[in-house]
Amino acid sequence: MERGSDKHGPRLDDEQKHETEGLVRGGGTTHAEEWKEPEAMPAPGEESLHSYPPGHEPGVPEGMTQRDVDVRSDLAKWLSDTHWPSSKRELLARAQREGAPDPIIDMVESLPERDYTNMADVAKALGIGVEKRRW
C-alpha cells in the first residue's frame, strides 16, 4: 500500500492531513489554536474602534500643522544618520549625497549659516512648527 509521501512516516502523514483538512474542505481555518487566527480586516468605510490613552491619539501634535509634520518628516528622511551638531554645509552635503529631491535641497540651502543641534532645531530655523510638550 502506497502512502501520500515517501519522505516521512505514516504518523507525520496523518498529522499533516489533519492540519490541512480545513483548507482542503474549504470550510474553515487550518489552525488548531484560536490565538493563531488572523484578525478580520475592517470592511471599506467601517472604522476600527481604537482607544488611545489621552495625549497619545494619532494625528498632528499641538503646535504643528499636518504640512509641518509632512515637511519635517521629509527632511528627517534625507538627513537621517546626521551626526549632530552639524553645520549648514554638512547638512547640505548629506542631503546631496543621499540624493534628496530639489525641494529638500532648497530648504537646506535656505538655512542660516550656523550649527544645528537636531532636526527640531533645523525645523525651527525653517519656520516649521515644533510640537509643544506638556510636561
Side-chain angles (χ1 to χ4, degrees), residues 17-32:
K17 182 179 177 184
H18 175 71
E19 287 175 355
T20 59
E21 185 176 6
L23 181 64
V24 171
R25 289 184 182 206
T29 178
T30 60
H31 298 296

Side-chain angles (χ1 to χ4, degrees), residues 77-79 92-105:
K77 174 182 171 185
W78 297 105
L79 298 178
L92 184 58
R94 178 74 182 185
Q96 290 169 336
R97 189 170 53 249
E98 293 295 319
D102 290 340
I104 299 296
I105 300 292

Side-chain angles (χ1 to χ4, degrees), residues 30-64:
T30 60
H31 298 296
E33 293 90 3
E34 184 177 330
W35 62 269
K36 289 185 178 179
E37 301 271 335
E39 290 187 21
M41 295 293 293
E46 181 181 300
E47 302 218 6
S48 63
L49 303 172
H50 290 287
S51 64
Y52 297 96
H56 295 278
E57 298 87 3
V60 179
E62 188 177 326
M64 296 181 77

Side-chain angles (χ1 to χ4, degrees), residues 110-112 114 116 120-128:
S110 73
L111 286 168
R114 68 177 180 87
Y116 296 90
D121 195 13
V122 171
K124 190 182 263 185
L126 289 169
I128 298 170

